[in-house]
Amino acid sequence: MRILVTGAAGFIGYHLSQRLLNDGHTVVGIDNLNDYYDPKLKFDRLALLKNQAGFSFEQLDLTERERLLNLIIDGGFEAVVNLAAQAGVRYSIDNPFVYAEANLVGFLNVLEGCRHAAVKPHLVYASSSSVYGANKTLPFSVHANVDHPVSLYAATKKANELMAHSYASLYGLNCTGLRFFTVYGPWGRPDMALFKFTKAILEGSPIEVYNEGRMRRDFTYVDDIVEGLVRVTMLRPGGNPDWRGEQPDPGTSYAPYRVYNIGGSQPVNLMDFIEVLEKALGKPAEKIMRPLQPGDVVETCADAEDLEQATGFRPQIGIETGIPRFVEWYRQYYGV
């Protein structure tokens, strides 16, 4: 297949592009290479991708409407995987307009490009477990209502799902959203907890542990995320013939639209997560306990049953395997 990956120099975009290339697909990657975090990571990921046959790259921001539309309309893509977005819950509190531009206007441009393409591609896009917001019923189900986000970042991801549904309904565009649950692994983002904790512990600096450590997260290793993405990309959703407006199911539709959770369904206590990291590093962490931060939720857990039924896959890699793999990469990359 010929596949467009937006955010190809990002954490998940890099891993997905590598996998697609290894599977024999042609990948066109785009990324704006911004400085939300150290751009060197992005350039180094990109350099590895450029060494592989079948990969081409264009530096492009999703808000560059004309360039993006022309690329998608004329690209002959069978699938578009949209991973480009402004990430981060806490950053959205201080920089809300960045999220509106990247996650709303940018996503609209992607939808418009797919709509006008001669052969409509399957649009697969990154949503987030953050959409569950104030929901308390665990595990989180795609069939539950998610109308109470607690951060602007989460609200933009929920908006992406609504926008995708409108295009699926109006234009028959096949749209599949994946709600990622706390992704980690080699080449990860420096603003994520595992990266920050690892850096601080190795430097002998204290780590900040929020909500006094009383947090549980459904950590998902990046290889599991990529496996789910690949399987979903090859599976156009179609409509659900059993969908009824009298009892609307948020996870499916009469239109060619689906949403899936992708997480291990095994939430881990934050203090246990830190303990596994300490063991992998061979060094204890000095901890500073902090209260819960605005926009954060205390616990996440994915109901991944729909993903398994559709693709035969659910995430498998636990933190006892995933964290040492990250530490090994970190030590090698930074020469620690």
Side-chain angles (χ1 to χ4, degrees):
M1 293 174 66
R2 180 173 167 82
I3 301 172
L4 175 66
V5 177
T6 77
F11 171 34
I12 301 173
Y14 160 74
H15 283 282
L16 175 65
S17 296
Q18 283 277 24
R19 168 64 186 275
L20 292 172
L21 292 167
N22 289 341
D23 287 352
H25 301 289
T26 298
V27 176
V28 176
I30 63 172
D31 201 294
N32 65 3
L33 300 172
N34 68 20
D35 60 357
Y36 169 64
Y37 60 80
D38 183 6
K40 184 179 184 302
L41 270 171
K42 301 179 182 182
F43 285 107
D44 288 347
R45 295 180 190 127
L46 191 56
L48 293 174
L49 291 174
K50 286 181 175 178
N51 283 333
Q52 292 195 233
F55 181 80
S56 60
F57 177 77
E58 186 169 346
Q59 186 169 347
L60 175 62
D61 193 287
L62 296 189
T63 60
E64 297 179 68
R65 183 187 305 171
E66 186 172 344
R67 286 183 64 201
L68 181 62
L69 263 63
N70 288 339
L71 175 65
I72 298 175
I73 291 169
D74 300 333
F77 301 111
E78 293 159 272
V80 172
V81 184
N82 184 59
L83 302 174
Q86 180 57 57
V89 169
R90 285 179 281 280
Y91 192 74
S92 69
I93 294 172
D94 297 323
N95 303 274
F97 293 103
V98 175
Y99 288 77
E101 292 163 4
N103 298 5
L104 300 179
V105 175
F107 189 64
L108 177 59
N109 291 338
V110 171
L111 286 166
E112 276 291 290
C114 292
R115 168 198 170 188
H116 290 289
V119 178
K120 292 186 180 67
H122 178 195
L123 173 60
V124 179
Y125 61 94
S127 186
S128 168
S129 61
S130 297
V131 301
Y132 290 103
N135 288 29
K136 298 296 184 185
T137 302
L138 294 172
F140 292 146
S141 169
V142 295
H143 305 291
N145 180 286
V146 287
D147 285 341
H148 298 87
V150 295
S151 70
L152 180 65
Y153 168 71
T156 64
K157 288 299 186 178
K158 167 66 173 176
N160 286 170
E161 295 178 3
L162 297 174
M163 295 161 73
H165 184 269
S166 69
Y167 272 67
S169 179
L170 286 168
Y171 310 113
L173 181 65
N174 283 264
C175 295
T176 303
L178 282 171
R179 294 173 178 169
F180 298 154
F181 279 69
T182 316
V183 189
Y184 73 101
W187 293 100
R189 290 187 357 235
D191 61 321
M192 298 293 285
L194 179 58
F195 201 113
K196 291 195 293 185
F197 287 171
T198 300
K199 182 176 187 292
I201 294 169
L202 288 174
E203 291 175 350
S205 302
I207 63 173
E208 294 185 315
V209 182
Y210 291 99
N211 201 38
E212 308 293 331
R214 296 186 296 273
M215 308 270 278
R216 285 166 58 83
R217 286 287 181 272
D218 200 344
F219 294 100
T220 314
Y221 190 68
V222 66
D223 287 1
D224 279 337
I225 291 288
V226 167
E227 182 65 34
L229 272 167
V230 169
R231 294 197 186 201
V232 164
T233 299
M234 306 304 157
L235 183 69
R236 291 185 178 237
N240 176 7
D242 297 323
W243 195 92
R244 295 291 180 270
E246 294 80 11
Q247 292 182 309
D249 172 14
T252 67
S253 175
Y254 57 88
Y257 166 93
R258 287 299 301 265
V259 176
Y260 297 106
N261 287 330
I262 181 161
S265 307
Q266 295 181 332
V268 175
N269 292 318
L270 179 57
M271 299 306 292
D272 293 339
F273 182 83
I274 294 170
E275 185 177 333
V276 173
L277 176 59
E278 290 172 321
K279 182 179 178 181
L281 291 170
K283 191 174 181 181
E286 179 187 348
K287 306 173 188 71
I288 300 176
M289 298 302 183
R290 302 289 194 197
L292 188 69
Q293 288 188 300
D296 259 352
V297 296
V298 174
E299 184 172 6
T300 64
C301 178
D303 178 347
E305 185 66 27
D306 283 43
L307 179 71
E308 184 172 18
Q309 287 184 358
T311 67
F313 171 77
R314 72 164 59 226
Q316 303 289 332
I317 300 171
I319 61 168
E320 293 79 7
T321 300
I323 288 178
R325 288 182 184 176
F326 171 82
V327 168
E328 182 182 2
W329 167 82
Y330 187 96
R331 287 187 182 279
Q332 183 179 22
Y333 182 75
Y334 288 102
V336 181

